[in-house]
Amino acid sequence: MKTAVVYYSFTGNTHRVAQIIVDILKNKGEDVVPVRIRPLKEETSFFMQCKDAFLAKKPELYKTLLDLKDFDKVILGSPVWAFKPAPAINTYLDKCVLGEGKKAILFVTYGSGTGKKKALEVMKKGIEKKGASVIKALSFQQAEKEKSCREKIEKVL
Ligand SMILES: Cc1cc2nc3c(=O)[nH]c(=O)nc-3n(C[C@H](O)[C@H](O)[C@H](O)COP(=O)(O)O)c2cc1C
């Protein structure tokens, strides 16, 4: 089983969850490739980040792995920004190549929790357009303890 863990993280919370996922898969002996995506131009003001997320902007990304045809499973993670995934995720979903029959697991990290369902819906639509079927969607509060994150992830992997 070969899995790509594709994610964007600005302040590190989504990265932390992605690392736990990678760790669990490695311990199972699976082939796992973490893919942290970054926009060329990173908006740093809260207002601009919300605006770009709300408008579903697609910023140009640093060169990254886009061809996921060789993978069996894709795990896609984003922070919730203004009820949406972070804009880098929109670009990735636009540009990646999956091929038919891929299984996908989605996850978001969030603060208050408002908009987390909506953000996951946007990600679901985007990845289904690429032919993948979403088998699970998880969400993690930004301050969630590692043990709790691990338990949730282990249940679905
Ligand atoms: C621009 C911006 C918008 C956000 N909007 C939401 C939101 O709509 N709902 C929510 O629950 N949290 C929101 N948050 C909190 C983040 O989702 C949360 O801190 C997340 O864990 C950040 O992930 P990261 O550390 O990987 O960047 C927002 C944070 C930022 C910076």
Side-chain angles (χ1 to χ4, degrees):
M1 182 67 88
K2 195 172 174 191
T3 304
V5 181
V6 180
Y7 65 99
Y8 169 78
S9 182
F10 184 64
T11 51
N13 301 323
T14 313
H15 175 63
R16 189 170 60 87
V17 175
Q19 280 183 314
I20 298 172
I21 293 172
V22 169
D23 185 57
I24 291 172
L25 287 170
K26 277 193 178 155
N27 284 338
K28 284 176 147 206
E30 287 193 23
D31 192 356
V32 50
V33 178
V35 182
R36 183 172 184 170
I37 57 173
R38 294 174 195 267
L40 282 179
K41 184 176 176 288
E42 189 96 272
E43 290 298 347
T44 52
S45 91
F46 181 80
F47 174 76
M48 285 305 292
Q49 289 172 335
C50 284
K51 182 169 166 261
D52 284 1
F54 187 75
L55 296 175
K57 287 271 174 77
K58 292 175 184 167
E60 204 179 326
L61 302 181
Y62 278 102
K63 197 172 185 310
T64 189
L65 177 69
L66 291 168
D67 185 349
L68 302 179
K69 288 200 294 289
D70 282 351
F71 291 83
D72 306 289
K73 196 161 52 181
V74 180
I75 301 181
L76 181 68
S78 176
V80 179
W81 278 9
F83 297 29
K84 297 278 179 73
I89 297 291
N90 303 325
T91 316
Y92 194 85
L93 284 172
D94 215 31
K95 302 220 154 148
C96 69
V97 181
L98 293 191
E100 288 301 310
K102 294 282 179 294
K103 300 242 178 297
I105 295 175
L106 308 176
F107 72 96
V108 289
T109 67
Y110 61 88
S112 66
T114 45
K116 65 180 182 180
K117 264 196 175 166
K118 281 201 175 155
L120 283 166
E121 271 166 28
V122 172
M123 291 163 72
K124 183 168 187 274
K125 270 193 193 145
I127 207 156
E128 281 177 349
K129 252 193 194 169
K130 293 280 168 157
S133 49
V134 175
I135 53 170
K136 274 286 167 204
L138 299 172
S139 51
F140 303 88
Q141 210 279 331
Q142 59 189 12
E144 196 160 328
K145 295 262 185 304
E146 177 172 345
K147 186 169 178 280
S148 165
C149 295
R150 274 188 182 272
E151 281 169 3
K152 274 192 202 169
I153 296 161
E154 273 162 355
K155 266 190 205 152
V156 304
L157 289 181

